Amino acid sequence: QVQLMESGGGSVQAGGSLRLSCATNRYTWSRYCIGWFRQAPGKGREGVATRHSTGSTSYADSVKGRFTISQDNAENTLYLQMNSLKPEDTAMYYCAAGYCGYWPLSDARFSDWGQGTQVTVSS
């Protein structure tokens, strides 16, 4: 059974940092691509970063150099370190389990979603 739970959102000023967590279980960790998505008010979901079940990671162009995935294989937990945050990064952030595919990331390939965690960046 897939398990996903996000945490770590909050409010920061532009230029600040936050670290999001996505806690999963061994079943999810070993079988699925885990994707980070975000959705700003009035906009569609945007893929941000992925962790393939092999452990490889990839990023959307909009966050490359600012966001970094790290992994705790023992705890089946994925982290998204977000640095140099901008007001346009403000969104609800979700982790999801599915199949990575190619960029741009399609949310249609992800069937299970966490509840989301809010990130707000003020200017």
Side-chain angles (χ1 to χ4, degrees):
Q1 183 176 355
V2 173
Q3 178 179 307
L4 301 154
M5 183 172 291
E6 306 94 336
S7 61
S11 297
V12 295
Q13 290 190 325
S17 298
L18 283 173
R19 189 178 78 158
L20 306 183
S21 301
C22 175
T24 76
N25 56 12
R26 174 53 57 180
Y27 176 83
T28 305
W29 191 256
S30 63
R31 292 173 183 260
Y32 294 102
C33 171
I34 300 172
W36 281 104
F37 289 83
R38 64 187 180 186
Q39 188 167 21
K43 296 188 176 181
R45 281 175 183 163
E46 176 192 13
V48 173
T50 62
R51 177 218 177 247
H52 192 272
S53 57
T54 60
S56 64
T57 59
S58 64
Y59 302 89
D61 288 343
S62 59
V63 305
K64 279 181 181 176
R66 300 190 298 123
F67 291 10
T68 304
I69 282 179
S70 60
Q71 311 174 45
D72 185 333
N73 291 313
E75 296 295 329
N76 304 315
T77 298
L78 196 66
Y79 300 98
L80 183 68
Q81 178 67 43
M82 305 186 296
N83 298 328
S84 302
L85 282 163
K86 305 175 182 179
E88 52 263 44
D89 295 317
T90 295
M92 185 71 80
Y93 282 70
Y94 301 88
C95 62
Y99 299 92
C100 289
Y102 296 98
W103 290 93
L105 204 60
S106 169
D107 60 2
R109 294 197 297 269
F110 291 77
S111 57
D112 294 274
W113 295 77
Q115 83 286 355
T117 185
Q118 178 69 37
V119 171
T120 302
V121 184
S122 58
S123 57

